[in-house]
Amino acid sequence: MKNKNILQTAKETILIEAEAIKSLADLVNDDFEKAVMCIYKSEGRVIVTGIGKSANIASKIVATMNSTGTPAVFMHAADAIHGDLGNIQKNDVVICISKSGNTPEIKVLLPLIKNYGNKIIAITGNEQSFLGENADFTLSSFVEKEACPNNLAPTTSTTAQLVIGDALAICLLNLKDFSSKDFAKYHPGGTLGRKLYLRVKELADNNEVPKVEKGAPVKDVIIEISKKRLGTTAVVENGLILGIITDGDIRRMLENTVDISNLEAKDIMSSNPIIVESDTMAVHALDIMQKNNITQILVTEKGKYSGVVHFHDLLKEGII
């Protein structure tokens, strides 16, 4: 019975937050569009501030904006009134996040920012609050209730704040025509960076280059596949690919042929194999391999055979 209660509580929490997020779409108004354009046209950065759990959300919004081409800086509201106001420069736009919009720190901070002449965007659950009424643009993050059964712990409200921040970041991304190449510049490390940067050549260069001539005896083909340990070999002539032979082709040949002594590479190869150029993105090569249900793909450089990429190479690099 206890486990059922846990699962039921988890489902109820998700549904409460999902409904709240869905309702946010009806709260997006002209102020949202004006806020986006204010940031877009600004020559400064975006300073995002908040107190308590809203500060945690502010930090995440800053990370999202920075990674999508909008320079942003996190400033804790409590630290701001104790020296960190120096973070705010002349042309910066300030986003202030608060569920109630009436916390003491916000009431102290807001007039100070306004004195600097910076535009203020409020993300608040209370448009009639001090923050809501004193900001230049007010974005509602109102929710009916928290997922917390006591309606106290910030849960649904902080999720709503985060979604509003994501919506701002994505609108700005679209206005800037921010492409996957731009995204790659800000994400060079980790799995994501590898997906955005890694090309087939970098993988193929680490492997042996199995190849045989079209007249090579089957025995030589088997030795080449075994020696190079990629489960395949290209059949080439003057550097051009004529076909491919995989270990699967070898097994089928042995199953169907009694006498293999007179067979040559050209007799068992698959013509017109799938080939990619060396500058192809590794993630695109993966897509091709999955669509064609193959585990190896031949690579060319300026039309000439240059190597093989195996499915395991992509797995090893974290592309999969």
Side-chain angles (χ1 to χ4, degrees), residues 10-319:
K11 292 177 182 179
E12 288 175 358
T13 300
I14 292 168
L15 290 174
I16 288 170
E17 297 207 5
E19 284 301 315
I21 298 310
K22 187 176 178 181
S23 297
L24 286 179
D26 296 327
L27 301 179
V28 175
N29 55 24
D30 289 345
D31 260 20
F32 189 95
E33 184 174 359
K34 291 175 182 176
V36 170
M37 294 308 298
C38 177
I39 297 172
Y40 178 65
K41 292 179 179 179
S42 170
E43 296 179 0
R45 307 159 302 167
V46 178
I47 308 295
V48 191
T49 188
I51 194 78
K53 299 299 185 293
S54 294
N56 299 132
I57 299 302
S59 182
K60 165 57 173 64
I61 291 172
V62 164
T64 300
M65 286 189 167
N66 278 327
S67 69
T68 53
T70 300
V73 176
F74 169 68
M75 181 182 70
H76 197 285
D79 293 334
I81 57 179
H82 292 284
D84 280 5
L85 270 173
N87 279 321
I88 303 176
Q89 303 299 308
K90 180 180 178 182
N91 295 313
D92 292 344
V93 176
V94 179
I95 297 177
C96 192
I97 307 173
S98 172
K99 178 186 176 182
S100 71
N102 288 315
T103 58
E105 293 85 357
I106 296 300
K107 287 185 175 181
V108 172
L109 178 61
L110 221 62
L112 298 173
I113 297 173
K114 290 180 76 72
N115 285 340
Y116 288 169
N118 298 86
K119 293 293 184 181
I120 299 172
I121 299 169
I123 298 178
T124 180
N126 183 3
E127 293 182 88
Q128 284 71 51
S129 64
F130 180 85
L131 173 60
E133 293 182 345
N134 285 278
D136 294 286
F137 313 105
T138 300
L139 314 184
S140 178
S141 59
F142 173 77
V143 296
E144 288 286 348
K145 62 179 179 178
E146 300 288 3
C148 164
N150 299 314
N151 198 29
L152 293 174
T155 46
T156 312
S157 60
T158 47
T159 302
Q161 293 169 352
L162 186 60
V163 169
I164 294 295
D166 285 344
L168 286 170
I170 299 305
C171 287
L172 290 164
L173 178 153
N174 286 337
L175 283 173
K176 297 180 181 199
D177 292 325
F178 195 80
S179 68
S180 59
K181 289 183 179 179
D182 296 317
F183 197 77
K185 290 191 297 186
Y186 300 112
H187 299 79
T191 300
L192 180 57
R194 298 299 282 167
K195 286 184 177 181
L196 293 168
Y197 273 113
L198 190 65
R199 297 185 183 274
V200 164
K201 177 177 171 58
E202 297 174 57
L203 298 174
D205 284 352
N206 292 325
N207 292 333
E208 296 278 1
V209 185
K211 60 183 177 180
V212 294
E213 297 290 327
K214 64 180 181 179
V218 165
K219 178 182 177 181
D220 291 351
V221 173
I222 295 173
I223 291 173
E224 182 71 358
I225 292 176
S226 177
K227 183 179 178 181
K228 301 299 173 63
R229 298 186 177 186
L230 288 168
T232 191
T233 183
V235 181
V236 300
E237 186 174 55
N238 298 322
L240 299 178
I241 297 172
L242 300 180
I244 185 172
I245 302 172
T246 67
D247 48 11
D249 293 323
I250 297 296
R251 286 193 299 271
R252 285 185 287 274
M253 175 199 67
L254 293 173
E255 289 171 359
N256 299 321
T257 307
V258 176
D259 182 8
I260 65 171
S261 59
N262 294 319
L263 291 179
E264 296 178 343
K266 67 177 184 296
D267 300 319
I268 61 171
M269 72 180 186
S270 298
S271 302
N272 302 314
I274 297 171
I275 300 168
V276 294
E277 264 291 310
S278 60
D279 61 351
T280 301
M281 300 302 296
V283 70
H284 181 53
L286 170 63
D287 185 52
I288 293 172
M289 292 166 75
Q290 289 177 325
K291 285 181 178 178
N292 291 278
N293 196 29
I294 57 177
T295 56
Q296 308 100 335
I297 194 165
L298 301 183
V299 182
T300 57
E301 188 160 358
K302 296 181 180 179
K304 296 282 188 174
Y305 173 58
S306 62
V308 176
V309 169
H310 195 283
F311 188 82
H312 289 159
D313 299 325
L314 298 163
L315 187 65
K316 182 180 177 182
E317 290 294 337
I319 301 300

